[in-house]
Amino acid sequence: MYTQFFGLKKKPFSLIPDPEFLFLSPKHRKALTTLEYGLMSHAGFTVITGEIGSGKTTLIRCMLNKIEKQCTVGIITNTHSSFGDLLTWVLAAFNIEHNTNNKAERYQLFVKFLHEQGQKKRRVVLIVDEAQNMEIETLEELRLLSNINVTQEILLQLILVGQPELVDKLNEPQLVQFAQRISIEYHLLPLNFEETEQYIEHRLRIAGRQTPIFKKSASAAIFYYTAGVPRLINNVCDLALVFAFANDDKDIGWKTIVEVINERKTGGIRRFTDKHCPEPDLMQKVAEAEKLRRELLDKTGVDISKCV
């Protein structure tokens, strides 16, 4: 719709995770390095957590592109108990066909699969996405499944990806043994203002744009309302491009962003305040957002916090 108007080859702010658009902020680079190190060091359990929309799935897809020739990978994306038990998910993740409801037989099928992959010199990696939704009993079952790695040879590596609630769950007394087996872990924080600016320009550049579209005031407003969460940034920027196209504007300022926010009342977009930042490390981001708000107020006479 707006791609030709802005000289773009494709939509730069799609909500679908796309490794081509991966922006390696220092935080995302550390997270990716942590994932890669976990695989290289044959870690039994690696845990990656982050807020909704922080870029975890995109990182996983980027990593998969690098390891698909070396590893056999299974991905579990739905961990709700109504979709079956753990072994059912695991066998389906690796496309292992079976016609038995006997858990012991399914377990033996999986062990046989692991040994066959080992004979082919292929590592087996099981990724559990949205792992915070797993019941404590299921997590304990996953730990027991890792008992396959009883010898010096690691047959199965597990990567758990989830929201911050996953850490709370893993700290439950019932999962002490599970927590002790976690070799590698990393918590992915949202972007700061400078990274938010770079993120926007990076995605526009990948989409074919060589010059900026979003003014600094627009980037400041985007950071203020999205708290630096990549998925929310994509949402606001995409709609901002639509609004600018409709108004025949080649550049986007803070007014367009406020217009978008006024229209967008769902999806987690809201004013960035300390009430939405329970983690102490994010309080600095609150101060940063407030500083940008004051700068806009001084330059334009408009308080964007009162525009919605």
Side-chain angles (χ1 to χ4, degrees):
M1 182 177 182
Y2 56 68
T3 51
Q4 186 175 357
F5 179 78
F6 287 108
L8 301 166
K9 298 176 182 177
K10 60 177 76 173
K11 286 182 62 175
F13 299 106
S14 172
L15 296 182
I16 299 174
D18 186 347
E20 182 185 1
F21 282 94
L22 177 63
F23 172 68
L24 287 177
S25 72
K27 305 176 184 72
H28 289 79
R29 190 179 300 278
K30 285 182 182 178
L32 184 59
T33 301
T34 299
L35 281 168
E36 293 173 346
Y37 175 73
L39 288 174
M40 291 173 58
S41 62
H42 296 274
F45 278 98
T46 298
V47 175
I48 301 293
T49 56
E51 295 290 346
I52 298 172
S54 59
K56 303 182 298 295
T57 302
T58 305
L59 282 174
I60 292 295
R61 292 194 177 189
C62 179
M63 180 195 69
L64 292 179
N65 289 342
K66 295 183 177 183
I67 68 169
E68 60 182 355
K69 294 182 180 179
Q70 313 159 27
C71 304
T72 300
V73 180
I75 303 178
I76 297 174
T77 57
N78 197 320
T79 55
H80 196 279
S81 58
S82 62
F83 285 83
D85 62 11
L86 178 65
L87 275 173
T88 299
W89 303 340
V90 171
L91 295 180
F94 291 104
N95 297 315
I96 302 173
E97 296 183 0
H98 68 93
N99 56 4
T100 177
N101 290 321
N102 185 292
K103 183 174 289 189
E105 291 181 8
R106 282 181 287 161
Y107 176 79
Q108 290 303 320
L109 276 174
F110 185 55
V111 172
K112 179 183 177 182
F113 168 77
L114 290 176
H115 283 290
E116 288 174 348
Q117 295 299 309
Q119 291 172 357
K120 297 176 182 177
K121 306 297 181 183
R122 292 185 64 83
R123 284 180 290 162
V124 178
V125 180
L126 176 62
I127 300 171
V128 183
D129 201 1
E130 301 296 341
Q132 78 281 348
N133 294 328
M134 298 177 77
E135 302 288 343
I136 288 180
E137 294 77 11
T138 307
L139 285 166
E140 177 60 13
E141 191 176 351
L142 188 63
R143 180 188 70 82
L144 294 174
L145 186 63
S146 72
N147 285 340
I148 292 171
N149 299 325
V150 291
T151 64
Q152 291 182 346
E153 181 183 6
I154 298 294
L155 298 175
L156 174 65
Q157 292 182 263
L158 298 109
I159 298 175
L160 272 61
V161 184
Q163 296 168 29
E165 295 88 338
L166 175 60
V167 175
D168 297 333
K169 193 165 286 187
L170 292 175
N171 282 325
E172 292 286 341
Q174 305 96 305
L175 294 175
V176 170
Q177 293 186 66
F178 191 113
Q180 290 176 347
R181 293 197 182 185
I182 298 171
S183 305
I184 308 292
E185 59 181 310
Y186 187 82
H187 180 66
L188 184 61
L189 290 172
L191 306 174
N192 60 30
F193 172 61
E194 183 181 0
E195 291 164 349
T196 297
E197 277 192 303
Q198 294 170 353
Y199 175 85
I200 293 170
E201 294 306 317
H202 169 80
R203 294 192 72 104
L204 287 170
R205 187 165 55 252
I206 296 298
R209 177 80 179 198
Q210 301 303 317
T211 56
I213 296 175
F214 292 83
K215 297 178 181 178
K216 192 176 186 67
S217 64
S219 296
I222 290 167
F223 176 73
Y224 185 78
Y225 288 112
T226 66
V229 176
R231 185 183 298 167
L232 297 184
I233 295 171
N234 286 359
N235 196 314
V236 172
C237 287
D238 185 56
L239 285 175
L241 289 170
V242 173
F243 282 27
F245 169 71
N247 293 328
D248 201 32
D249 293 331
K250 290 289 187 179
D251 297 313
I252 296 175
W254 65 268
K255 291 183 180 179
T256 302
I257 305 305
V258 170
E259 185 182 357
V260 167
I261 299 300
N262 277 321
E263 292 293 330
R264 192 75 168 91
K265 299 298 185 182
T266 61
I269 298 173
R270 54 195 176 184
R271 181 183 164 209
F272 184 17
T273 71
D274 55 352
K275 293 181 181 179
H276 304 136
C277 297
E279 299 182 47
D281 290 344
L282 295 183
M283 293 305 294
Q284 181 179 355
K285 293 168 67 59
V286 176
E288 190 175 7
E290 286 301 306
K291 178 182 177 183
L292 290 167
R293 180 189 66 81
R294 290 192 297 270
E295 288 179 356
L296 279 175
L297 177 61
D298 292 340
K299 292 179 180 178
T300 66
V302 176
D303 187 345
I304 60 173
S305 69
K306 298 179 180 179
C307 292
V308 295

